[in-house]
Amino acid sequence: MKASRWIIVALLIVAVVCFFAFDLGEYLTLESIKAHSGALKAKVQDHPWWAAGVFFVVYAALTALSFPGTVVLTLLAGALFGLIEGTLLVSFASNAGALVAMLISRFMLRDWVQKRFGKQIAGINKGLTRDGTFYLVSLRLIPIVPFVLLNPALGLTRIKVWTFWWTTQLGMLPGNAIYVNAGEKLVAVRALSDILSPSIISTLVLLAVFPVIATRLLTYYKARKVYRGWRKPKRFDYNLVVIGGGAGGLATARIAATYKARVCLVERERLGGVAMHEGGVPTKAFRRLANELHTRHGGQPPVEAFGELMMQVRQLTESARHHASVDDCTRHGVEVVEGEARLSSPWTVEVEGRTLTTRAVVIATGSRPWLPPIPGLDAVEPLTCDTLLQLHERPERLLILGGGAGACEFAQLFQRMGSRVTVASPDERLLDQEDAEAAQALTAALIAAGIDLRLGLTAQRVESTGSEHRLICRAGEGEEQSLPFDRLLLMLGQYADVEGLGLDELKLHCGDDGTLEADEYLATRYPNIYAVGSVAGPYGAPHVAEHQAWYAAVNALFGGLKRFVVSDRVLPRAVYTSPEMATVGLTEHEARALKLEFQTTRLDLATLPGAVAERAEQGFVKVLTEHDHDRILGVTIVGEQASETLAGFVVAMKYKVGLHKLGDAVQLSPTQGEALRRVAEAWRQQHRSPRMLTWAERLNRWRVER
């Protein structure tokens, strides 16, 4: 560290020590100001410039060091200098202090601030990208993030010094003026009856309603700006139109209908979406039936069994669709309109020549598989998750391109049905977003099952000669590899299915990840148009879409009164292989990337009687907690029924139940659910005080030997 930085650090330390050593905080209380206001007022009148200078320096210093007392000093400014002069002093002093705090953070405390305020910084950067300087002014007008956090956090963004200065000056001015005015009024209070005076009451009311008024004004200004050029209908047919009848769209429409809103659901193909027709529901049936056949036939199911299995899958899927029907939606108070939807304005949706007017719109059109631009790919009619379950014959050689959860799941299932499976992935390891140890355990299970893994390969082209097909790949700058196959399954991810919705005319754009740009309320650039599920991201799973549905429905209907920030803190995910892998919260790699101090508690399933009894002892439970605290940061489980075992940890994280209390919960035994209590007990043992154990040992020895 340079000498200049050491000097700044030393000055900061001296300032902090002096503040607390001399108990300067006792002078920054309302009682102290009331007691000394008369004497201070006299000094200000005798030496106005000197008093103003001292006040400016003290106020700026307290703001720069994030010390308590600036609110009280703001009130004092009103008492000593009056409304106009006091507001100017506070405004420029607070801005100077905020600028110093931002610069200290930018040049001195970057690592510390990033570690402490990483989440706030990420949110601020997202807001800056979306709304620019308007977002900065709104942060100052409505302090969603406290100033003591906001100033250092902004130091780590790309904001320019000039932009920081003028947005701070403008945004804090109204609030400063209100508090200075309050100080001018409150210092005049001498008796209880003075509090009931109209001026005092109006001041207190203004303090209370200012955040609400500022929020309303900002929202109105932003809406007026974005709606410019569009003509709003004088009346509406519906409170809400939901475009897309998948898991997220159905849930959004039904929730809105429970609030007695007039809701219309527009679906172009079939209700239920991918999850009901090709995704989670049929895949789960496929998994169960395939595993049963694999066990029944000793790992060698006959070729004809595949056709029977697929027929049963289609029958089970059809039986599960009764909750995704027009009659069921109508029974819940949702009107269903079939056809292709297109947004012609922020309030109108065109469907097959019919115009629907609505106060709010929720886009929940789901996603489509991504097809890479590989030469020769179209000629082999590749399978995707949308078409895979339409197979009638088992492919002898199945090549899966991808390394995510779906690729692993289908690789194991088709291998168990008798196909020879090869998995080729451009990544260096499977499940590269998951816990490394867990991913390695699943990789070992796939290799043990006989699946041929080819990792780190980039697909170049597809070559076909008669009925023989080959995928030509290359590993880095190495030689080309030829992978033969009968059928090719693409599992390379999804993209938001928003084509044909007319989003370009409304200037609604998708980000680099293919999802529609939406804020923390799931709203797009138009406050009345929301996105849900794969369209909104970051995860497109049906359970995530259904989780987002409540926020989208409530914000769309009542956003003018109150909006709710969607919570993505606790979103579980799973890989349904054998063994399963289930995760919620952070992995060790993610925790290290965030520079968090954490501890890991690990439990082998072989220690659980329930797992041993079910011959499911291969696997582990790994729990990440805050350093020297029982708050759970993340959980990874590998083993049979891992997705079911994870449920208890999901509830604990959602409602902030730590391992200490989780260990007191009674679990059925012998079951794998007992892992919750066992891992909590392991954490307790790691955190028992050595001194307490020493005294306990002495006490017990004395009670035996006396």
Side-chain angles (χ1 to χ4, degrees), residues 166-182:
W166 78 259
T167 55
T168 302
Q169 192 75 48
L170 177 63
M172 295 182 65
L173 183 60
N176 288 334
I178 291 174
Y179 274 90
V180 170
N181 180 62

Side-chain angles (χ1 to χ4, degrees), residues 150-168:
L150 180 60
N151 295 328
L154 286 173
L156 303 187
T157 66
R158 298 177 297 276
I159 185 175
K160 297 180 180 179
V161 172
W162 165 247
T163 304
F164 177 91
W165 186 88
W166 78 259
T167 55
T168 302

Side-chain angles (χ1 to χ4, degrees), residues 220-302:
Y220 175 77
Y221 171 78
K222 186 176 180 180
R224 186 178 178 83
K225 182 179 178 182
V226 77
Y227 289 130
R228 186 175 298 141
W230 296 104
R231 185 175 181 181
K232 188 176 182 179
K234 294 182 178 180
R235 62 176 301 276
F236 299 94
D237 300 322
Y238 302 98
N239 297 102
L240 178 64
V241 168
V242 180
I243 303 176
L250 282 171
T252 303
R254 287 169 177 167
I255 291 170
T258 63
Y259 290 103
K260 306 304 178 183
R262 293 191 63 185
V263 183
C264 178
L265 177 64
V266 182
E267 174 54 46
R268 62 186 173 189
E269 295 178 3
R270 65 242 162 129
L271 292 175
V274 173
M276 181 63 68
H277 294 270
E278 295 96 9
V281 174
T283 301
K284 187 170 186 177
F286 183 18
R287 183 184 309 115
R288 183 180 66 82
L289 295 171
N291 289 336
E292 288 178 356
L293 280 173
H294 180 271
T295 303
R296 186 187 312 153
H297 294 280
Q300 296 294 329

Side-chain angles (χ1 to χ4, degrees), residues 519-522 547-549 551-552 555 564-569:
D519 61 17
E520 61 272 25
Y521 305 101
L522 298 176
H547 166 71
Q548 294 174 339
Y551 294 92
N555 288 338
F564 297 88
V565 176
V566 63
S567 172
D568 58 0
R569 185 178 64 88

Side-chain angles (χ1 to χ4, degrees), residues 222-243 264 342-351 354-362 502 506 508 524-530 556:
K222 186 176 180 180
R224 186 178 178 83
K225 182 179 178 182
V226 77
Y227 289 130
R228 186 175 298 141
W230 296 104
R231 185 175 181 181
K232 188 176 182 179
K234 294 182 178 180
R235 62 176 301 276
F236 299 94
D237 300 322
Y238 302 98
N239 297 102
L240 178 64
V241 168
V242 180
I243 303 176
C264 178
R342 180 179 179 84
L343 287 164
S344 54
S345 83
W347 305 279
T348 55
V349 180
E350 305 290 337
V351 185
R354 177 184 173 187
T355 301
L356 310 177
T357 59
T358 176
R359 285 193 171 274
V361 176
V362 172
L506 273 69
L508 291 174
T524 63
R525 67 189 297 262
Y526 296 95
N528 72 312
I529 300 179
Y530 293 78

